[in-house]
């Protein structure tokens, strides 16, 4: 099990590294137990998938694994899987969903552009008798309860972002000076936030800081700004913040690693040095940067586990089996210490 996580971390780091550089690498992440079994009876089932936008590093890793797992491990035919780019536009994505219904897909896996559209999308699919697996952007808990109480075939597969936020904060608390580089008795930070349509942004922001205050550390927020999960925006925000606040910035929290990659570029361009005069943490999969000491830490967002759980849920629906309304996959904390060990073991 441990080995598996390590392999995943390495693969994730490599693939994210590639996509971040503009490549389009595919994942070779290992298949695992926990599937509902390889089923040749899935070969003629049609799956409609829509991703909120293809231009998202993390969702590219996720999508690659989802497709691979459906075909290689679960026996779906590649020609029966349609994956659409929601292009960050809910109206466009809703059209895609209507087309899926019209073309008679058997199940949908949806990464909504706006999680708030889940109730209307669920109703559309439910009326057409098509089960839905929502991924990555969690619908409102009240909506999830409705599925259970009304017996609607819909489910959510994701990860509890409170956990990832807490891990990010702990990574700062665990540094030698607990994030207080200049010794003034408080940790001064900037927060680069993801697109709030994903509750992950809100939770990671809140819980990363909470881990510090829970540890009795005083904090000062110098800036909180939306970077929409985007590397270029992360770079711009951190570049401006370092110009404005200079050496008083001790910690840069990024809600994801794509923005942390942008932050790292800005930090290095400003002549600052991570883990010496500034700390930087993200979430997703940039393990190599942690090993290299270019990031203080990250939190592995297990896109392999999530993609596989989503596909397994789709199969359960197709087989008429019960599916829990909410399915969470654990995050894994990655610090300078265990990242090196992880890479060593998979060499
Ligand atoms: C990931 C981000 C990604 C976002 C998309 C988050 O869980 O950490 O990297 O951009 O999902 O909704």
């Amino acid at each position: 099990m441990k080995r598996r996580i390590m392999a995943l971390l390495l693969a994730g780091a490599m693939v994210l590294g590639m996509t971040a550089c503009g490549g389009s690498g595919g994942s070779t992440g290992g298949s695992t137990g926990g599937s509902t079994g390889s089923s040749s009876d899935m070969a003629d089932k049609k799956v409609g998938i829509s991703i909120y936008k293809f231009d998202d590093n993390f969702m590219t890793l996720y999508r690659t694994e989802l497709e691979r797992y459906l075909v290689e491990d679960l026996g779906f035919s590649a020609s029966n899987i349609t994956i659409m780019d929601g292009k960050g536009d809910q109206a466009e994505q809703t059209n895609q969903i209507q087309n899926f219904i019209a073309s008679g897909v058997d199940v949908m896996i949806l990464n909504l552009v706006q999680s708030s559209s889940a109730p209307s999308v669920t109703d559309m699919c439910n009326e057409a008798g098509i089960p839905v697996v929502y991924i990555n952007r969690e619908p409102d808990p009240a909506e999830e309860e409705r599925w259970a109480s009304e017996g609607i075939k819909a489910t959510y597969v994701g990860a509890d972002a409170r956990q990832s936020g807490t891990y990010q904060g702990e990574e700062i608390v665990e540094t030698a000076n607990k994030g207080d580089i200049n010794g003034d008795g408080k940790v001064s930070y900037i927060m680069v936030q993801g697109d709030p349509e994903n509750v992950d942004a809100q939770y990671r922001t809140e819980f990363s800081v909470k881990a510090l205050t829970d540890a009795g550390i005083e904090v000062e927020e110098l800036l909180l700004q939306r970077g929409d999960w985007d590397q270029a925006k992360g770079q711009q925000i951190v570049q401006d913040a370092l110009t404005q606040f200079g050496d008083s910035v001790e910690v840069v929290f990024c809600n994801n690693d794509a923005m942390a990659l942008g932050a790292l570029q800005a930090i290095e361009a400003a002549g600052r040095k991570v883990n010496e005069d500034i700390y930087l943490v993200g979430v997703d999969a940039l393990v190599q940067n942690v090993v290299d000491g270019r990031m203080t830490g990250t939190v592995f967002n297990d896109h392999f586990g999530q993609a596989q759980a989503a596909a397994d849920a789709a199969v359960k629906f197709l087989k008429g089996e019960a599916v829990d309304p909410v399915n969470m996959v654990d995050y894994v904390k990655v610090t300078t210490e265990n990242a090196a060990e992880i890479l060593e073991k998979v060499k």
Side-chain angles (χ1 to χ4, degrees):
M1 177 61 187
K2 212 167 173 197
R3 251 200 114 71
R4 189 198 142 220
I5 291 175
M6 288 164 186
L8 299 185
L9 288 166
L10 180 65
M14 292 190 318
V15 179
L16 186 52
M18 285 162 70
T19 49
C21 299
S24 61
S27 148
T28 51
S31 73
T32 64
S35 94
T36 43
S38 150
S39 343
S40 51
D41 45 329
M42 292 298 135
D44 62 349
K45 298 292 185 201
K46 288 193 197 167
V47 190
I49 300 173
S50 178
I51 300 297
Y52 93 102
K53 63 172 183 175
F54 277 6
D55 183 19
D56 177 297
N57 281 349
F58 177 74
M59 288 314 302
T60 301
L61 298 172
Y62 194 127
R63 169 163 56 99
T64 305
E65 173 61 11
L66 183 58
E67 192 176 13
R68 185 206 66 75
Y69 183 70
L70 282 165
V71 174
E72 290 178 20
D73 291 37
L74 299 183
F76 286 83
S77 157
S79 58
N80 284 336
I81 300 173
T82 309
I83 308 185
M84 302 299 292
D85 179 359
K87 297 185 183 154
D89 178 345
Q90 187 57 58
E92 166 115 20
Q93 190 178 50
T94 303
N95 267 333
Q96 295 167 357
I97 295 165
Q98 278 158 347
N99 289 337
F100 284 150
I101 293 174
S103 68
V105 298
D106 297 291
V107 65
M108 288 190 215
I109 300 178
L110 300 178
N111 174 211
L112 290 176
V113 175
Q114 289 174 350
S115 47
S116 51
S117 59
S120 58
V121 170
T122 305
D123 287 344
M124 263 165 46
C125 297
N126 188 37
E127 276 157 31
I130 302 169
V132 192
V133 179
Y134 291 108
I135 57 170
N136 174 255
R137 298 184 154 202
E138 189 171 8
D140 200 78
E143 170 64 2
E144 295 168 339
E145 280 159 28
R146 182 175 79 97
W147 307 334
S149 64
E150 295 180 17
I152 293 172
K153 288 190 177 174
T155 185
Y156 173 69
V157 175
D160 183 350
R162 286 171 282 214
Q163 187 184 38
S164 53
T166 303
Y167 285 166
Q168 285 187 290
E170 287 175 359
E171 287 167 1
I172 298 302
V173 175
E174 286 159 12
T175 61
N177 46 23
K178 299 187 184 339
D180 185 11
I181 294 172
N182 58 22
D184 65 353
K186 61 178 192 288
V187 172
S188 305
Y189 67 88
I190 59 176
M191 178 70 68
V192 188
Q193 273 197 300
D195 169 2
E197 264 305 326
N198 185 334
V199 74
D200 292 3
Q202 187 189 313
Y203 280 153
R204 288 177 193 161
T205 298
E206 183 185 338
F207 283 79
S208 54
V209 175
K210 186 173 180 295
L212 267 69
T213 53
D214 281 355
I217 295 169
E218 194 185 321
V219 294
E220 176 191 30
E221 183 184 280
L222 297 171
L223 178 80
L224 178 150
Q225 205 170 320
R226 264 180 74 170
D228 292 333
W229 309 117
D230 184 78
Q231 181 177 343
K233 288 188 186 173
Q235 178 176 11
Q236 191 64 52
I237 291 167
V238 176
Q239 180 182 309
D240 294 347
L242 290 176
T243 305
Q244 190 180 347
F245 302 107
D247 286 349
S248 42
V249 181
E250 295 171 292
V251 175
V252 178
F253 285 111
C254 294
N255 282 174
N256 78 344
D257 278 346
M259 297 189 296
L261 208 56
L264 178 61
Q265 291 167 322
I267 286 169
E268 291 181 343
R272 304 282 296 269
K273 188 125 184 30
V274 171
N275 291 340
E276 285 182 18
D277 58 28
I278 195 162
Y279 292 119
L280 171 65
V281 289
V283 176
D284 279 340
L286 288 180
V287 180
Q288 186 62 53
N289 274 345
V290 181
V291 172
D292 295 345
R294 297 174 78 211
M295 278 176 65
T296 309
T298 186
V299 180
F300 180 57
N301 192 1
D302 185 358
H303 54 278
F304 293 105
Q306 291 173 55
Q308 293 173 12
D312 288 345
V315 168
K316 280 190 179 173
F317 276 136
L318 291 171
K319 289 181 168 174
E321 294 170 14
V323 181
D324 290 338
V326 180
N327 308 272
M328 295 298 197
V329 172
D330 269 338
Y331 284 98
V332 183
K333 189 165 162 185
V334 182
T335 63
T336 309
E337 270 173 37
N338 74 348
E341 182 192 319
I342 284 161
L343 287 185
E344 248 337 282
K345 287 194 180 165
V346 290
K347 260 180 201 162

